[in-house]
Amino acid sequence: GESVGLHLPTLSVQEGDNSIINCAYSNSASDYFIWYKQESGKGPQFIIDIRSNMDKRQGQRVTVLLNKTVKHLSLQIAATQPGDSAVYFCAENSPSNTGKLIFGQGTTLQVKP
Amino acid sequence: DAGVIQSPRHEVTEMGQEVTLRCKPISGHNSLFWYRQTMMRGLELLIYFNNNVPIDDSGMPEDRFSAKMPNASFSTLKIQPSEPRDSAVYFCASSLPGVNKNIQYFGAGTRLSVL
């Protein structure tokens, strides 16, 4: 029979534009969230994290926004560059708080030169 | 710091053969995680260890899979016997104790192909 793979959402942006990648998380008890970037052929790489007592956190060219009311997380990338092309994963900590992360399915970011 | 080191990077084997994947976590990290990534199922947690003790192995697909962590600097994931559906990229990750325990650092992965 026909195999069905994951259909990752894809965001296509022009180089230099800002990118916004969205993520819905599942557990209202989660108190820690993290974004990873995975380039082709590599392992996921930590980008930025945020705790539930914050609404916003900024890094270098990246900003994470947290809306606990609607259980929504977003990653904003300023002045997107070709090197930003990758799959981006959000993750939430397990309610057991043992260090286990629950990963989302990922979003593919394509940067057009 | 060399990061999490996995070996081999690529493994091609025939159905029925035993496969052993290896991982060296970052020095000082006390938690170690094994993941499997496929197009069909995405990134799945198989098992994780804390201070060399398996904490949660609920993600291990079946008895053909086993993992060990004999000391703080080495872990193995073994598949015996391997099947074509085990073909995937297997990642190992490690994390620090304490307030940064949720940041997992991933290795480059082992791409396994079972023919």
Side-chain angles (χ1 to χ4, degrees):
Chain A
E2 181 181 0
S3 63
V4 178
L6 287 174
H7 179 64
L8 295 183
T10 299
L11 176 65
S12 186
V13 301
Q14 204 72 37
E15 180 179 358
D17 287 351
N18 296 334
S19 303
I20 300 176
I21 301 171
N22 297 303
C23 177
Y25 63 92
S26 56
N27 197 318
S28 56
S30 296
D31 61 3
Y32 176 88
F33 306 89
I34 190 168
W35 281 99
Y36 281 88
K37 172 187 180 183
Q38 186 177 21
E39 296 175 90
S40 180
K42 297 183 179 180
Q45 180 183 18
F46 167 77
I47 302 174
I48 191 168
D49 58 356
I50 188 168
R51 298 195 180 277
S52 60
N53 60 354
M54 301 172 69
D55 297 324
K56 178 179 179 179
R57 190 169 187 214
Q58 288 185 292
Q60 189 176 18
R61 278 203 309 119
V62 294
T63 300
V64 56
L65 298 177
L66 175 63
N67 185 330
K68 295 181 286 294
T69 303
V70 295
K71 293 191 286 186
H72 183 267
L73 198 63
S74 68
L75 177 71
Q76 301 179 358
I77 304 173
T80 313
Q81 302 168 0
D84 295 326
S85 295
V87 178
Y88 289 81
F89 294 94
C90 67
E92 60 188 299
N93 67 328
S94 167
S96 62
N97 203 24
T98 56
K100 178 179 174 180
L101 293 175
I102 302 168
F103 281 86
Q105 295 301 322
T107 295
T108 299
L109 176 64
Q110 296 176 342
V111 182
K112 297 176 287 186
Chain B
D1 197 325
V4 175
I5 299 174
Q6 293 186 243
S7 64
R9 288 297 315 276
H10 303 274
E11 177 80 32
V12 181
T13 191
E14 292 186 346
M15 182 175 64
Q17 296 298 306
E18 176 180 302
V19 174
T20 299
L21 311 181
R22 296 173 175 80
C23 176
K24 177 179 168 56
I26 295 171
S27 177
H29 286 198
N30 73 332
S31 293
L32 183 140
F33 305 80
W34 281 102
Y35 290 88
R36 178 173 67 177
Q37 188 175 43
T38 62
M39 287 298 295
M40 293 286 289
R41 302 172 69 91
L43 192 63
E44 302 174 277
L45 177 66
L46 300 177
I47 185 171
Y48 76 97
F49 296 83
N50 192 41
N51 294 322
N52 312 339
V53 176
I55 302 300
D56 183 351
D57 66 353
S58 59
M60 296 286 261
E62 48 197 275
D63 292 345
R64 297 185 298 108
F65 286 68
S66 63
K68 294 182 180 179
M69 192 164 186
N71 57 62
S73 59
F74 184 66
S75 177
T76 59
L77 178 68
K78 184 177 294 186
I79 308 172
Q80 180 184 23
S82 59
E83 297 182 2
R85 60 191 168 125
D86 301 330
S87 298
V89 181
Y90 290 81
F91 288 105
C92 176
S94 67
S95 65
L96 283 162
V99 296
N100 289 319
K101 65 183 177 185
N102 288 302
I103 302 177
Q104 295 179 19
Y105 296 87
F106 283 76
T110 296
R111 182 173 294 276
L112 173 65
S113 297
V114 183
L115 307 177

